Structures are given as structure tokens and as C-alpha cells.
């Protein structure tokens, strides 16, 4: 089991690396994937803290919950950043673009998060046959979504603006890192 848990930690790191590469290809940028992935640590810490709070251990189900949580939280960041990039391509400033993206994508982000949250609540409560063994999966998802939702809705736009400024002032000086729209 310890070997499996160690392998799962390596698999999580590899999953984040693969997500970064895919997002870098999608956005044709080195920095925008960082904006999207910046919400993952907050979500995982929230999920693990929920396990600790309820006295559950990090079982195989908990790791499956962490992988699911990473996908759901990443999707929220993608919805915001992708919308902002489209607005910038149409000539808006970065500040206005991320503000509009945050406002316009708030409802879809909340709807998908609440749907995932409500789907995980019965698992977190331990309902069903052998529900107690799957409880860590639900707790990780519920706790991670709640924590990440409160934090990332405010933090992601700030990180986006900071990285846009870094791109303009530093990275655009080098042809290899120059961003083209």
C-alpha cells in the first residue's frame, strides 16, 4: 500500500506536468497555464484538511477524489482565463478582460461546482453500501471544492493580471518567450 501511495504521488505530479503542457499548447503561452493551475494547491490542501478535520485517512479513494478535484478546479480556471484571452484578442485591456471574464463566467463556474458538490455530498456522508470506505473520496471533493471556490474566485484574476504584466515587461523582451496574439 505504501508503494502504491508513493506511486500515486508521482502520478499526481506527472498529471500536473501533463496538464501544464496541454494548456501551454492550447494557450500558446508559458504563463497562462500557471494561472489555471495556481488553484490546484489550494484545492488539494482544502481536500486534505477536510480529511484531517473528519479524522479520515488518505486512502486510495481519497487519491481518486484528489484527481477528480484537480480536474474540476482546473476547469474553473480554464473558463475564466480562456474568456479573458478571447477578450484581449478583441482589443480589451487585461484588467477589463479578466474582470469581464470573472463576471460573465461566475454563474457557469458556480453551477458546475455546485453540481459536483451536491453529487459528492452523499458520498461524503457515507450513504450506500460500503459507504464508509468511499467517504474519503466525497470528503476530499466537498472540502476541496468549498475551499478552492472561495479562494480562487478572488485569487485567479490577480494572478492572471500579475502574470500578464510579467509577460509584457519581462518575457516579451526575449523572442523565445514572446507572446503573439
Amino acid at each position: 500500500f505504501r508503494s502504491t501511495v508513493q506511486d500515486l504521488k508521482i502520478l499526481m505530479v506527472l498529471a500536473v506536468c501533463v496538464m501544464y503542457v496541454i494548456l501551454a499548447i492550447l494557450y500558446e503561452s508559458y504563463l497562462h497555464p500557471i494561472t489555471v493551475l495556481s488553484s490546484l494547491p489550494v484545492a488539494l490542501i482544502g481536500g486534505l484538511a477536510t480529511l484531517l478535520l473528519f479524522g479520515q485517512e488518505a486512502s486510495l479513494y481519497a487519491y481518486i477524489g484528489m484527481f477528480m478535484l484537480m480536474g474540476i478546479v482546473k476547469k474553473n480556471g480554464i473558463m475564466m482565463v480562456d474568456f479573458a484571452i478571447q477578450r484581449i484578442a478583441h482589443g480589451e485591456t487585461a484588467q477589463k478582460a479578466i474582470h469581464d471574464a470573472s463576471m460573465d463566467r461566475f454563474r457557469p463556474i458556480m453551477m458546475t461546482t455546485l453540481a459536483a458538490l451536491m453529487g459528492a455530498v452523499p458520498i461524503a456522508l457515507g450513504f450506500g453500501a460500503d459507504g464508509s470506505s468511499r467517504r474519503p473520496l466525497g470528503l476530499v471533493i466537498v472540502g476541496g471544492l468549498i475551499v478552492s471556490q472561495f479562494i480562487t474566485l478572488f485569487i485567479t484574476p490577480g494572478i492572471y493580471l500579475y502574470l500578464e504584466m510579467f509577460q509584457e515587461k519581462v518575457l516579451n523582451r526575449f523572442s523565445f518567450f514572446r507572446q503573439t496574439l
Side-chain angles (χ1 to χ4, degrees):
F1 181 73
R2 287 184 183 159
S3 173
T4 301
V5 169
Q6 186 63 29
D7 291 343
L8 285 173
K9 291 176 185 174
I10 293 169
L11 187 60
M12 287 181 102
V13 171
L14 286 174
V16 171
C17 292
V18 168
M19 284 187 260
Y20 176 83
V21 169
I22 290 171
L23 290 169
I25 292 168
L26 174 70
Y27 294 135
E28 297 177 359
S29 168
Y30 294 106
L31 293 180
H32 291 310
I34 295 171
T35 305
V36 171
L37 297 176
S38 66
S39 57
L40 292 183
V42 174
L44 293 176
I45 288 170
L48 291 173
T50 306
L51 282 178
L52 186 64
L53 181 71
F54 284 91
Q56 298 289 318
E57 57 186 41
S59 65
L60 186 60
Y61 282 116
Y63 278 98
I64 292 169
M66 286 184 228
F67 280 106
M68 290 174 61
L69 182 63
M70 285 176 16
I72 295 167
V73 170
K74 180 180 58 87
K75 174 211 47 74
N76 292 343
I78 288 172
M79 287 197 326
M80 234 189 292
V81 170
D82 195 42
F83 198 79
I85 290 172
Q86 289 175 7
R87 293 286 176 112
I88 288 176
H90 286 94
E92 288 187 12
T93 64
Q95 291 86 359
K96 182 160 175 34
I98 194 66
H99 178 267
D100 290 349
S102 298
M103 298 303 285
D104 290 346
R105 305 317 299 164
F106 178 76
R107 185 171 150 241
I109 288 171
M110 289 304 292
M111 287 172 53
T112 55
T113 299
L114 286 174
L117 192 66
M118 292 301 128
V121 165
I123 299 169
L125 294 175
F127 289 140
D130 198 31
S132 62
S133 67
R134 289 189 306 270
R135 192 165 182 231
L137 177 126
L139 288 172
V140 165
I141 293 172
V142 169
L145 283 175
I146 290 171
V147 170
S148 73
Q149 202 64 26
F150 282 121
I151 304 265
T152 58
L153 284 175
F154 299 107
I155 300 295
T156 302
I159 292 172
Y160 177 83
L161 289 174
Y162 175 76
L163 291 177
E164 269 295 313
M165 181 184 67
F166 183 73
Q167 176 74 46
E168 291 173 8
K169 294 185 185 219
V170 177
L171 293 183
N172 281 346
R173 294 181 181 177
F174 305 100
S175 62
F176 184 75
F177 294 111
R178 191 167 293 129
Q179 183 178 1
T180 58
L181 293 176

